[in-house]
Amino acid sequence: GHGKSDGHVPTGSPLSQLLAFYTHKKLFDRLEEYAISRSLIMTCYVDDVTFSGSKINGTDHEAISKIIRRSGLK
């Protein structure tokens, strides 16, 4: 019913973004460490992550994908 919690955050809740970030903070930290080590720029908005830089290449794509897979995500 209205006003009752069913154990889930409502869709569109302002909490969703914070929960997504803090749930995966270790992953975001690892990705940032990788980006810094390669002189890349990591940009993150909620669950969209972008890497940019003049030195980015296919090897970076594979390494970033591996970090993400190790965290249990696809």
Side-chain angles (χ1 to χ4, degrees), residues 6 9 11 15 17 20 22 24 31-34 40 46 53-54 59-60 64-65 73-74:
D6 63 357
V9 175
T11 301
L15 291 176
Q17 294 176 5
Y22 284 111
H24 298 290
L31 292 172
E32 182 181 32
E33 287 171 11
Y34 179 82
L40 302 175
V46 187
S54 60
T59 302
D60 293 312
I64 291 164
S65 294
L73 300 175
K74 295 179 182 178

Side-chain angles (χ1 to χ4, degrees), residues 18-67:
L18 288 171
L19 286 174
F21 175 77
Y22 284 111
T23 299
H24 298 290
K25 185 173 182 321
K26 287 181 183 179
L27 168 62
F28 290 131
D29 289 346
R30 285 186 202 112
L31 292 172
E32 182 181 32
E33 287 171 11
Y34 179 82
I36 290 168
S37 76
R38 293 280 298 131
S39 299
L40 302 175
I41 297 169
M42 177 182 140
T43 306
C44 181
Y45 181 76
V46 187
D47 61 352
D48 293 327
V49 181
T50 302
F51 294 86
S52 57
S54 60
K55 298 179 182 180
I56 197 163
N57 59 44
T59 302
D60 293 312
H61 181 271
E62 288 301 317
I64 291 164
S65 294
K66 190 174 185 179
I67 293 168

